[in-house]
Amino acid sequence: MLTKFETKSNRVKGLSFHPTRPWILASLHNGVIQLWDYRIRTLIDKFDEHDGPVRGICFHNTQPLFVSGGDDYKIKVWNYKTRRCLFTLLGHLDYIRTVEFHKECPWILSSSDDQTIRIW
């Protein structure tokens, strides 16, 4: 084991490595998203706008963005530099399980317990 981080949530639901920085995003059962620096083993920031567990989390490859999806049926796109949610995508009818940025196109891919996969 290289390192260990501890949270105050019951469960970690999702993880994402930043493509260039020594950062990890952790999406938690309590609805909070944590940004960790694994090099210095420090919690850098917290993001808290979801109502309920956050299951999907993903950094963008080139922009200062990440996307999250949770049990509130919402997909949120965040700017980690401004520490704000830029916008919310609505349309799923059940828990969102995964979210991911497309590597080349300006798209977000999501999957949900509503038995749909969506490209936004």
Side-chain angles (χ1 to χ4, degrees), residues 24-63:
I24 297 171
L25 281 171
S27 57
L28 307 179
H29 185 76
N30 66 4
V32 174
I33 299 163
Q34 295 179 334
L35 177 60
W36 292 86
D37 185 318
Y38 60 80
R39 185 185 56 219
I40 59 174
R41 300 178 179 149
T42 303
L43 180 63
I44 299 170
D45 213 338
K46 292 182 185 181
F47 303 87
D48 186 10
E49 283 193 27
H50 278 282
D51 299 317
V54 181
R55 298 179 186 275
I57 195 81
C58 182
F59 273 113
H60 192 278
N61 271 349
T62 60
Q63 300 296 317

Side-chain angles (χ1 to χ4, degrees), residues 2-118:
L2 294 175
T3 191
K4 178 181 172 181
F5 306 98
E6 294 190 30
T7 71
K8 300 298 181 195
S9 175
N10 292 339
R11 296 178 290 275
V12 176
K13 295 295 188 178
L15 295 168
S16 180
F17 273 112
H18 191 277
T20 59
R21 297 181 183 202
W23 292 352
I24 297 171
L25 281 171
S27 57
L28 307 179
H29 185 76
N30 66 4
V32 174
I33 299 163
Q34 295 179 334
L35 177 60
W36 292 86
D37 185 318
Y38 60 80
R39 185 185 56 219
I40 59 174
R41 300 178 179 149
T42 303
L43 180 63
I44 299 170
D45 213 338
K46 292 182 185 181
F47 303 87
D48 186 10
E49 283 193 27
H50 278 282
D51 299 317
V54 181
R55 298 179 186 275
I57 195 81
C58 182
F59 273 113
H60 192 278
N61 271 349
T62 60
Q63 300 296 317
L65 305 174
F66 67 89
V67 62
S68 62
D71 286 7
D72 56 4
Y73 312 170
K74 296 176 184 174
I75 297 169
K76 293 182 173 285
V77 176
W78 306 80
N79 182 314
Y80 58 75
K81 285 187 177 180
T82 63
R83 304 177 63 211
R84 294 196 176 163
C85 177
L86 301 177
F87 55 90
T88 301
L89 300 170
L90 302 173
H92 278 296
L93 304 175
D94 207 335
Y95 297 165
I96 297 168
R97 296 294 178 165
T98 58
V99 290
E100 188 170 329
F101 284 107
H102 190 280
K103 303 298 183 215
E104 297 173 5
C105 300
W107 301 339
I108 294 169
L109 179 68
S110 63
S111 68
S112 168
D113 283 357
D114 65 9
Q115 301 177 344
T116 64
I117 298 168
R118 298 177 189 227

